[in-house]
Amino acid sequence: MKTMLAIISNALCRMTGRNAVSFRGLKCDLHRLEEGPPVKAELTREQGLQYYRTMQTVRRMELKADQLYKQKIIRGFCHLYDGQEACAAGIEAAINPSDHLITAYRAHGYTYTRGVSVKEILAELTGRRGGVAKGKGGSMHMYAPHFYGGNGIVGAQVPLGAGIALACQYQGNNQVCVTLYGDGAANQGQLFESYNMAALWKLPCIFICENNKYGMGTSVERAAASTDYYKRGDFIPGLRVDGMDVLCVREAAQFAADHCRAGKGPIIMELQTYRYHGHSMSDPGVSYRTREEIQEVRSKSDPISMLKERMLSHNMASVEEFKEIDIEIRKQVEDATQFATSDPEPPLEELCNHIFSNNPLLEVRGTNPWSKLKSVS
């Protein structure tokens, strides 16, 4: 039975949760902007619990992916997102489901926030028929409505994102495209070509650099003469915020989306974040940085812990509520894992299906000299 103190605490949480709590001191660096996002953000109890649930689900899902990879159930490339959850949760809180999003190969978090279930994501990682790409996309190639992947070529998604923004402008639908890339891709020439075209045509594109401090095994200081990624657009306005704080990310992304919808053209955001795992599962992540560095970030700047402590200190939720959410998420991930390890692999006859989205039967040549496979959409 709950103690009387716990019952009173829960009652206070529910009462306090009716109103928003204002958090001040949000910092933002600006480039070519007279004004930036607000320095304070309001958070309701419902919003806080929703953000916590989203980030904790992504965290548990990625830790399970780590376990399955080490068991050799997941094979091939696998880039995990744990540590960067506030970026995905904050951006998603600021845009509409009808807006568009494209990212690089560290895509599991955005696949989830774009509406794909944990079950479908883990099944895709294990190459099963019930995966979001029917087991044929793997870690780097997941898609959903208004979500264009998971792209394996470094920086290649940036011009694609500019093209999606051009489509939004052409259709006049008041939508924006969030185009994400990492600090490792920030020196790619195609980024600057995309900046130029987006600025000339005033495309509604939010270019977002998720600066997690390391491109593969190279620190940003060793890879870039200028690490002010939010200024890299030169003639494009930019802003830089703490990517470990979900409220900072939300406010900045809301500001950026409003900027684009007002017809002012593109904007660049730099989210200063951190990945806990190595670049990919083949990278132990401690040859170019110390375990102490990773532990310090975990202890001082973890996005989930920061949000939880904020809510607890303002009586917006109780410890028991967070525990209940954690138990529920762990069960959800375990159930998804059971499905992802028992669902059958796609049969050979489906190997070439869905090459095109809407086409008649197509014979696929060269897959096997003794059989002709057909593709159906």
Side-chain angles (χ1 to χ4, degrees), residues 22 39 96 109 167 248 270 291 324:
S22 182
V39 296
N96 303 321
C248 281
E270 178 187 344
R291 296 182 187 277
E324 288 175 6

Side-chain angles (χ1 to χ4, degrees), residues 135-148:
K136 295 181 287 187
S139 173
M140 295 193 290
H141 306 292
M142 301 184 187
Y143 309 93
H146 305 291
F147 175 59
Y148 307 86

Side-chain angles (χ1 to χ4, degrees), residues 49-243:
L49 291 177
Q50 177 188 344
Y51 303 159
Y52 179 85
R53 187 183 297 274
T54 297
M55 292 193 291
Q56 190 70 288
T57 300
V58 173
R59 175 71 56 87
R60 289 291 165 193
M61 179 178 70
E62 295 295 65
L63 292 178
K64 180 57 68 173
D66 170 76
Q67 179 184 336
L68 292 172
Y69 196 96
K70 289 172 179 174
Q71 294 172 350
K72 297 187 178 181
I73 298 173
I74 296 174
R75 308 301 292 264
F77 294 103
C78 186
H79 304 79
L80 301 183
Y81 199 68
D82 50 321
Q84 300 183 210
E85 296 91 350
C87 299
I91 291 169
E92 205 64 64
I95 63 174
N96 303 321
S98 58
D99 288 321
H100 307 268
L101 191 146
I102 187 169
T103 188
Y105 38 74
R106 202 178 305 280
H108 307 162
Y110 290 103
T111 307
Y112 177 73
T113 62
R114 288 273 93 182
V116 179
S117 68
V118 176
K119 181 176 77 171
E120 291 175 290
I121 295 171
L122 289 181
E124 188 59 41
L125 289 172
T126 58
R128 307 304 171 117
R129 200 170 183 176
V132 63
K134 303 186 185 300
K136 295 181 287 187
S139 173
M140 295 193 290
H141 306 292
M142 301 184 187
Y143 309 93
H146 305 291
F147 175 59
Y148 307 86
N151 293 266
I153 305 300
V154 175
Q157 72 279 6
V158 178
L160 293 177
I164 296 167
L166 175 61
C168 293
Q169 184 189 70
Y170 186 77
Q171 294 171 357
N173 53 25
N174 201 35
Q175 296 170 1
V176 302
C177 181
V178 175
T179 302
L180 294 123
Y181 56 95
D183 53 278
N187 299 316
Q188 285 272 331
Q190 57 194 326
L191 266 76
F192 299 94
E193 295 177 61
S194 302
Y195 291 165
N196 186 56
M197 295 174 74
L200 281 173
W201 297 341
K202 293 189 179 299
L203 301 182
C205 190
I206 308 173
F207 295 104
I208 299 183
C209 176
E210 290 182 289
N211 177 8
N212 61 23
K213 308 296 191 293
Y214 298 94
M216 294 190 72
T218 306
S219 66
V220 293
E221 292 80 13
R222 293 181 60 216
S226 170
T227 57
D228 291 333
Y229 296 103
Y230 70 110
K231 295 181 180 179
R232 290 288 197 91
D234 188 10
F235 38 79
I236 299 177
L239 57 157
R240 177 171 62 189
V241 297
D242 182 0

